Amino acid sequence: MENYLKILEEALEKKSRVLDEIAGYNEEQEKIFSGDKADLEQFDEYIDKKDALIEKLSRLDEGFETLYANVSEQLKMNKAQYADQIRRLQTLVREVTDKSVSVQAQEARNKALIERYFAKQRENVRSSRKNSKAAYDYYKSMSGSGGQGTSQFWDSRK
């Protein structure tokens, strides 16, 4: 039983470290989209790294839940005997839960940053298109009759 509790504790500690890594990548992503010019390749790289960490986190969760399901009855029957380990596990669970909530909040903030960034980029593209169309329309109107336009400066009295 001691070994199982140690494994549960190690799984929670690993989850905590993985959440710390994810939080670090979230901070880097926030920096990318906080400026005017975003490095989308770096952003994609961070996404890939976070995906791998999330997969690792899922495996740790599954392993923890499976093992806990196997030992939970023994823990309930022998609470006094394993009180110290149970308290340590509860502390680690709270720590992991707090970090998980923090990571979710970071993700929400980053999502809002990214949405603002792309909205701004769309507006820039829209503005560029309008400017290009206005310039093209001006050019077309000024050269509309094959170069013999009726310019307001052209003297027709000759």
Side-chain angles (χ1 to χ4, degrees):
M1 185 63 167
E2 295 285 330
N3 288 337
Y4 291 132
L5 293 174
K6 186 67 177 162
I7 292 170
L8 287 173
E9 185 176 327
E10 288 172 2
L12 288 170
E13 289 170 347
K14 285 179 185 177
K15 284 174 66 171
S16 179
R17 287 190 298 272
V18 168
L19 286 167
D20 287 339
E21 286 184 67
I22 292 172
Y25 286 121
N26 282 342
E27 289 171 7
E28 292 300 318
Q29 285 177 323
E30 182 179 353
K31 289 177 188 175
I32 287 174
F33 285 102
S34 293
D36 288 338
K37 188 76 173 159
D39 183 354
L40 297 179
E41 288 181 24
Q42 186 69 49
F43 176 74
D44 285 342
E45 184 180 319
Y46 290 152
I47 290 289
D48 292 340
K49 289 179 179 181
K50 280 177 32 180
D51 282 343
L53 290 170
I54 290 169
E55 180 64 33
K56 185 176 181 179
L57 193 62
S58 294
R59 286 192 310 271
L60 286 168
D61 271 339
E62 290 170 9
F64 180 87
E65 289 173 12
T66 301
L67 184 56
Y68 183 76
N70 291 336
V71 298
S72 64
E73 284 301 316
Q74 290 180 359
L75 285 176
K76 290 175 186 173
M77 293 186 314
N78 300 310
K79 280 184 183 180
Q81 182 180 354
Y82 301 111
D84 290 338
Q85 291 95 333
I86 291 171
R87 275 193 295 281
R88 175 72 178 138
L89 289 174
Q90 288 172 335
T91 300
L92 288 170
V93 166
R94 277 191 295 278
E95 179 181 312
V96 166
T97 302
D98 290 346
K99 286 182 180 184
S100 179
V101 168
S102 176
V103 163
Q104 289 173 0
Q106 282 179 316
E107 292 284 349
R109 285 191 303 272
N110 283 353
K111 181 182 178 196
L113 272 175
I114 292 166
E115 287 172 350
R116 280 194 302 273
Y117 174 81
F118 283 113
K120 184 177 176 183
Q121 294 303 313
R122 278 192 300 276
E123 185 56 37
N124 289 344
V125 167
R126 222 177 273 126
S127 176
S128 293
R129 284 184 184 160
K130 284 181 184 177
N131 290 341
S132 293
K133 183 175 178 355
Y136 178 73
D137 289 346
Y138 174 77
Y139 171 78
K140 206 164 81 173
S141 72
M142 295 316 276
S143 64
S145 59
Q148 297 176 349
T150 57
S151 172
Q152 62 187 357
F153 301 110
W154 191 52
D155 188 2
S156 61
R157 290 181 284 170
K158 288 186 182 181

